[in-house]
Amino acid sequence: MSKVAFIGLGVMGYPMAGHLARKGHEVCVYNRTSAKAAQWVDEFGGRCASTPREAAQDAELVMSCVGNDDDLRSVVLGEDGALAGMVPGAVLVDHTTASADVARELAVQAAERELGFLDAPVSGGQAGAQNGVLTVMVGGEKPFYDRAEPVIQAYARMVRLMGPAGSGQLTKMVNQICIAGLVQGLAEALHFAQCAGLDGLAAMEVISKGAAQSWQLENRHKTMLAGEFEFGFAVDWMRKDLSILLDEARHNGAQLPVTALVDQFYADIQAMGGNRWDTSSLIARLKPARR
Ligand SMILES: NC(=O)c1ccc[n+]([C@@H]2O[C@H](COP(=O)([O-])OP(=O)(O)OC[C@H]3O[C@@H](n4cnc5c(N)ncnc54)[C@H](OP(=O)(O)O)[C@@H]3O)[C@@H](O)[C@H]2O)c1
């Protein structure tokens, strides 16, 4: 069992840290809003700290899961940041979905202090975090990965080292590119079914057994048809991820015409007040035809 710190007890971090405690690791948590850290300790035991630095002291592994690049820098760097508290040889495992650039930057800063760094974004959403079945895509050096992997298994179904620092974030970008085009395709298919006067549920039931099958189709078609968008990853988060990956594509030369278009469609959803709707809300832009 390891001494672990967990920084960022949001929708994802709270249950992930909980799995570590349940597995018997000695966990110290930090959260900017301290009431959430106190609630976590009430539920899972362990300790809470008043700064990331304090949480990281003595920890062999420090996990983080905050919002974006700037949030990550604010909990990792500086006088009260995690790196300042970590002991040489310890490894920082960052589960935030952030840029590959910030991952490379933090890997350098960690190495200067004889610390390890792994970028390890996750896929699987809130349900995956709660059920401990996340997919974890990791970038960094193998010796650090080998130490962190058995601990990450507490909340993962799939963990893989993808390459040097930044490779975890790049793999997560691949994931988000898949999802963007796929959800727009599903939204258009459902919209077409409605415009054609078909029973949308029946149409989805039939095609879900053929080549059009997908996780999004299986799990979201009913709520999309019902116009309910309270089921997971928020549009604001998706636009953050799309902005990161479109920026990466500008640098590596990848052409992402559909992804760029879907990003603009999500901007429309934000303009409709759907910032916190889930990503399947793309269908809300498509008005049923007048018949
Ligand atoms: N939700 C999903 O389905 C999902 C799926 C895959 C990946 N992700 C990614 O996982 C990360 C976390 O997502 P989430 O849904 O858990 O977000 P969330 O519920 O909004 O939680 C964000 C966490 O980060 C903390 N935080 C944010 N900015 C901070 C700052 N400047 N300083 C200190 N702490 C800060 C928040 O603290 P407070 O409590 O004080 O606000 C909170 O603990 C994001 O990068 C997201 O893109 C999310």
Side-chain angles (χ1 to χ4, degrees):
M1 289 303 125
S2 303
K3 281 186 166 181
V4 186
F6 206 107
I7 296 166
L9 302 173
V11 166
M12 301 299 283
Y14 193 101
M16 289 163 78
H19 285 293
L20 293 173
R22 281 206 202 94
K23 289 276 173 194
H25 298 294
E26 200 179 306
V27 185
C28 181
V29 295
Y30 165 81
N31 197 65
R32 178 179 57 182
T33 306
S34 56
K36 236 190 265 177
Q39 185 192 332
W40 188 93
V41 171
D42 277 351
E43 191 173 339
F44 296 105
R47 292 181 298 124
C48 63
S50 54
T51 63
R53 175 186 181 144
E54 189 189 321
Q57 274 161 10
D58 300 332
E60 296 150 63
L61 292 168
V62 178
M63 292 18 199
S64 54
C65 189
V66 293
N68 59 26
D69 285 20
D70 288 343
D71 301 331
L72 180 58
R73 286 194 186 94
S74 80
V75 294
V76 169
L77 303 176
E79 214 173 293
D80 285 332
L83 289 185
M86 290 168 70
V87 288
V91 182
L92 175 61
V93 182
D94 177 45
H95 292 302
T96 309
T97 303
S99 68
D101 283 346
V102 78
R104 296 182 196 110
E105 173 192 322
L106 294 180
V108 170
Q109 300 245 14
E112 282 168 1
R113 295 166 184 260
E114 295 175 48
L115 302 168
F117 177 83
L118 300 170
D119 51 297
V122 302
S123 172
Q126 182 174 3
Q130 283 168 344
N131 297 323
V133 292
L134 292 168
T135 292
V136 188
M137 302 149 250
V138 187
E141 293 175 24
K142 185 143 189 332
F144 299 133
Y145 174 81
D146 288 342
R147 280 175 38 211
E149 191 264 352
V151 179
I152 294 173
Q153 288 290 357
Y155 41 77
R157 178 164 56 190
M158 160 69 84
V159 191
R160 184 173 291 187
L161 180 62
M162 302 304 299
S167 304
Q169 296 296 353
L170 292 172
T171 308
K172 173 75 183 184
M173 293 177 207
V174 173
N175 185 76
Q176 301 305 70
I177 292 166
C178 285
I179 288 176
L182 208 151
V183 175
Q184 177 62 18
L186 181 58
E188 290 183 18
L190 291 167
H191 171 67
F192 179 90
Q194 286 173 321
C195 290
L198 285 171
D199 175 342
L201 286 175
M204 288 300 125
E205 243 175 75
V206 171
I207 70 166
S208 70
K209 303 296 174 248
Q213 193 276 341
S214 70
W215 186 98
Q216 298 287 344
L217 191 157
E218 288 285 345
N219 291 282
R220 292 286 181 266
H221 76 270
K222 285 187 188 143
T223 47
M224 287 170 83
L225 283 168
E228 294 166 1
F229 308 120
E230 313 295 326
F231 301 95
F233 197 58
V235 167
D236 277 353
W237 278 141
M238 186 60 166
R239 283 217 79 207
K240 181 248 314 177
D241 293 1
L242 292 173
S243 154
I244 290 170
L245 70 87
L246 289 168
D247 193 45
E248 187 71 35
R250 274 188 284 278
H251 290 100
N252 70 17
Q255 296 170 45
L256 306 176
V258 171
T259 311
L261 190 59
V262 174
D263 179 49
Q264 291 312 302
F265 294 164
Y266 278 123
D268 294 344
I269 299 292
Q270 288 175 315
M272 291 164 66
N275 301 60
R276 301 301 299 176
W277 293 352
D278 72 61
T279 45
S280 71
S281 57
L282 282 174
I283 195 171
R285 289 178 63 255
L286 308 172
K287 302 268 178 291
R290 286 210 190 100
R291 300 178 62 80

